[in-house]
Amino acid sequence: TAMPVDLEATPVLSSSYPIPTPVPRLIIPEQAITIILLGSDRRPDWQHWNTDAIQYVIIYPETSSVTVVSIPRDLYVYLPRLGMRRINTADMYGELYGFDEGGFGYLNQTLLYNLGITADYYAKVNFQGLKALVDALGGIDMPVHCRLEDYWPYPDEQGEYHKIALDPGIHHMDGKLALWYARSRKTTSVFDREARQQQVLEAMWWKAREEGVLNMLPALYQQYGDLVETNLGWGTMLKLGILAARLEPSRVRMVNIGRGQVIPYVTDFGGYVFLPVWEEIDPILERALLPPAPSRLQRGFVRIEIINGSSHPQW
């Protein structure tokens, strides 16, 4: 079930929603490598699951540049042959109903029909996998921009669940805290949560780069490879690992499909979802798919230090 959407927006109420026509297929340059990253809530004893984190990654190896586009998990789209559903169910239906290439193939068809894009590869990790990967890195340092409060998903000795809070500042997070941070939605919108998911990905890459972990990919893959489900071959992984090791922060773009590109909607079953507005989404995806401009490639990476000169120590 989805949490209610932004209270300032008025959901569209309807008894049914017509199947939309397919959007135009966008041009993906041949030199681009595209990967769909999925965060799944699947557990061993669950027959149904969702991919509540969906990040579309465009990589240009020749220019060492990466763009990451977040796709809202509550986007209400047409799933081929199944009808209107949340996009975060496509992976599950594709696997359960045995579509070509399973969940990834069916998600690709869903992306093509509704957003005009497809991915070459996929990588999927569940809750336990994300925690283990963050812990394998020795934790990550995360800049928290605003106070965040939500229930800790692990009960205490009495079986009770308690709230925890993070105040603004830099926090070192282990796997459990990073997962909580990426999934929290009690005091922020779903769009903020998707931005935090991108933060976690970026922090993991930055930590791996700083620690030289990317140079140990063969050993890491042997030890932690079973935590990630993917169709990336070993050769492609090595190629991307080399790219990640030399990637500069100025050549990483984080892009979001946000409030301005969707319309709040209530389904027949009372679910709060978002209808995609293609006219607003199209230019975002087209810009994301473009190779970086020479002017952006020439920008150097400048590290700055911000010093608190106020009388408020927590600012």
Side-chain angles (χ1 to χ4, degrees):
T1 57
M3 294 292 289
V5 297
D6 186 359
L7 295 178
E8 296 180 0
T10 302
V12 178
L13 294 172
S14 174
S15 58
S16 63
Y17 189 80
I19 295 174
T21 57
V23 304
R25 182 166 192 157
L26 298 180
I27 297 175
I28 302 176
E30 288 186 8
Q31 65 269 35
I33 298 174
T34 53
I35 307 173
I36 193 79
L37 302 180
L38 302 171
S40 169
D41 64 2
R42 189 174 190 176
R43 294 175 172 85
D45 57 339
W46 283 21
Q47 294 183 337
H48 297 85
W49 67 91
N50 299 312
T51 50
D52 284 343
I54 308 174
Q55 305 285 342
Y56 184 69
V57 183
I58 306 115
I59 302 169
Y60 284 97
E62 291 81 2
T63 55
S64 298
S65 61
V66 175
T67 299
V68 182
V69 183
S70 71
I71 299 175
R73 65 152 203 166
D74 291 324
L75 210 60
Y76 199 54
V77 297
Y78 175 63
L79 269 57
R81 296 166 56 188
L82 290 182
M84 299 297 293
R85 301 284 194 282
R86 285 186 175 88
I87 197 169
N88 67 342
T89 63
D91 175 71
M92 175 190 69
Y93 284 125
E95 185 172 326
L96 291 180
Y97 291 117
F99 285 96
D100 290 343
E101 296 187 65
F104 169 62
Y106 190 56
L107 176 59
N108 244 347
Q109 291 299 313
T110 302
L111 290 172
L112 178 61
Y113 190 100
N114 297 277
L115 298 178
I117 56 176
T118 56
D120 302 316
Y121 305 101
Y122 80 98
K124 180 167 59 176
V125 64
N126 61 17
F127 293 163
Q128 297 301 322
L130 178 63
K131 289 190 295 183
L133 290 173
V134 172
D135 288 336
L137 292 170
I140 54 177
D141 293 322
M142 186 68 61
V144 176
H145 302 307
C146 60
R147 180 179 171 84
L148 194 66
E149 184 177 347
D150 206 340
Y151 284 98
W152 185 244
Y154 309 100
D156 60 16
E157 295 178 354
Q158 286 74 41
E160 296 181 355
Y161 293 85
H162 300 279
K163 287 183 180 179
I164 68 167
L166 285 181
D167 289 318
I170 303 294
H171 294 266
H172 185 76
M173 300 186 180
D174 62 7
K176 284 186 176 181
L177 186 56
L179 178 62
W180 174 88
Y181 181 75
R183 297 190 67 233
S184 175
R185 59 185 180 183
K186 184 174 180 61
T187 54
T188 61
S189 73
V190 293
F191 303 109
D192 293 328
R193 182 172 68 167
E194 285 150 13
R196 290 197 301 275
Q197 292 167 358
Q198 289 181 333
Q199 271 190 290
V200 170
L201 287 175
E202 190 172 13
M204 292 175 68
W205 158 71
W206 184 250
K207 181 63 178 294
R209 184 178 183 271
E210 282 193 328
E211 298 293 328
V213 173
L214 297 169
N215 296 324
M216 300 182 290
L217 268 179
L220 289 172
Y221 181 74
Q222 186 174 7
Q223 186 174 0
Y224 298 105
D226 60 343
L227 297 176
V228 181
E229 179 187 329
T230 182
N231 63 344
L232 282 163
W234 180 237
T236 304
M237 285 188 190
L238 284 176
K239 180 180 179 180
L240 295 178
I242 294 171
L243 169 65
R246 67 169 185 256
L247 186 65
E248 293 291 344
S250 60
R251 298 189 182 183
V252 178
R253 289 185 295 174
M254 297 293 179
V255 181
N256 301 84
I257 296 176
R259 290 184 179 87
Q261 292 78 50
V262 298
I263 297 174
Y265 181 80
V266 177
T267 70
D268 297 348
F269 303 101
Y272 287 81
V273 295
F274 297 107
L275 299 174
V277 181
W278 174 243
E279 293 76 14
E280 300 296 334
I281 293 175
D282 177 38
I284 289 178
L285 292 178
E286 286 192 343
R287 286 195 297 269
L289 288 167
L290 287 175
S295 59
R296 188 165 70 88
L297 290 176
Q298 294 169 2
R299 289 199 314 231
F301 174 52
V302 179
R303 187 182 295 275
I304 66 171
E305 181 178 3
I306 301 175
I307 300 174
N308 181 1
S310 73
S311 59
H312 302 276
Q314 299 304 318
W315 282 12

